[in-house]
């Protein structure tokens, strides 16, 4: 490979706080930053849908379908960030994340399942069904947060 | 809709710094946080591929294909965060982002194009071709950062 070609790309890919060892095992603070980044984007793309389901902003089927597709990818991303090495890091994660891994996994799968249903339903164009499924996704988020994240 | 059902989901979806007005127009500091979150995830999923292309970690075709798919979605997400309302926010974005929107858009499209090629190439299983295309993606990242992000 052309080393120069990579110089710029790597400077980006590594960024502050990264090191070459991060390729195999990212540092705990990086893992926390990454998983929190996913949650920030969940909020970006679910927020407007929740507003639509509540009638606070106009329903837009195209936005729902787009965001559902994004969420369907994002909901795969946070979990490897909850590595035991991150137990001592400052974050909202409760000890239950590490003490009850099976229950935590179940909550992840519930979210993924509800989002997958939203992707499917959002293609059908039935506004009431779409709004109902947005609610189910929001409930799956909340269900996990209730048990595995500090109240705030 | 069931209001209680939404209570938990909304508390999540809105989070700190959000308000109901955020559904239509997020606050500048939220936009910056969201676009930086995407960049954090670009790094998470490109970093290991760059390491593979450089021979620093073992090549794993399945990881490349998975990460390429993730990047292909992530590379759609940051751009609406570069709203003119964010000009005054602390970030690494250079004034060129707002002064040269056509050039900025071109750089975005180049990244999207190179990532789309990586998705395609990563399905073929030709390791040398995949590594070459990882380099092209890294170059597209770097090309945009050179012109539109503060050096660090």
């Amino acid at each position: 490979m052309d080393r120069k070609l990579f110089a710029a790309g790597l400077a980006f890919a590594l960024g502050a706080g990264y090191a070459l060892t991060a390729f195999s095992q990212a540092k705990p603070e990086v893992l926390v930053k990454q998983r929190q980044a996913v949650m920030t984007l969940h909020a970006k793309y679910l927020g407007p849908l929740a507003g639509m389901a509540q009638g606070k902003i106009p329903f837009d089927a195209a936005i729902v379908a787009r965001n559902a597709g994004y969420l369907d990818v994002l909901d795969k991303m946070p979990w490897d960030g909850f590595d035991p090495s991150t137990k001592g890091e400052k974050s909202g994660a409760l000890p239950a994340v590490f003490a009850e891994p099976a229950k935590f996994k179940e909550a992840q799968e519930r979210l993924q399942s509800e989002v997958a249903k939203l992707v499917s339903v959002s293609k059908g164009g039935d506004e009431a069904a779409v709004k109902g499924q947005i609610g189910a996704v929001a409930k799956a988020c909340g269900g996990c947060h209730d048990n595995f994240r500090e109240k705030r």
Side-chain angles (χ1 to χ4, degrees), chain A residues 2 5 8 10 19 22 24 30 38 44-45 52 62 64 82 91 98 100 128 132-133:
Chain A
D2 180 339
L5 179 149
L10 269 184
S24 44
V30 173
V38 184
K44 176 178 179 184
Y45 293 109
M52 289 179 200
V64 176
F82 292 93
S91 89
F98 307 105
E100 301 178 67
Q133 190 54 34

Side-chain angles (χ1 to χ4, degrees), chain A residues 6-136:
Chain A
F6 266 110
L10 269 184
F12 157 70
L14 298 177
Y18 285 77
L20 275 178
T21 54
F23 288 142
S24 44
Q25 178 59 55
K27 291 180 183 176
E29 66 269 26
V30 173
L31 290 171
V32 170
K33 186 183 174 190
Q34 290 171 337
R35 75 192 192 203
Q36 289 177 341
V38 184
M39 297 301 174
T40 293
L41 295 172
H42 275 164
K44 176 178 179 184
Y45 293 109
L46 181 61
L49 306 198
M52 289 179 200
Q54 292 192 303
K56 289 178 193 287
I57 55 173
F59 184 77
D60 183 328
I63 296 284
V64 176
R66 186 201 67 171
N67 288 17
Y70 287 175
L71 291 167
D72 194 40
V73 175
L74 290 167
D75 69 14
K76 312 294 187 294
M77 295 183 181
W79 319 118
D80 61 356
F82 292 93
D83 188 85
S85 68
T86 63
K87 276 187 194 180
E89 296 298 311
K90 187 170 177 267
S91 89
L94 292 175
V97 165
F98 307 105
E100 301 178 67
K103 202 176 157 195
F104 186 46
K105 183 102 166 73
E106 198 181 303
Q108 298 164 22
E109 288 168 354
R110 186 172 156 222
L111 172 66
Q112 291 165 344
S113 164
E114 296 295 2
V115 169
K117 277 185 210 161
L118 181 61
V119 169
S120 177
V121 171
S122 71
K123 287 175 181 158
D126 179 333
E127 187 175 323
V130 171
K131 288 182 174 178
Q133 190 54 34
I134 291 169

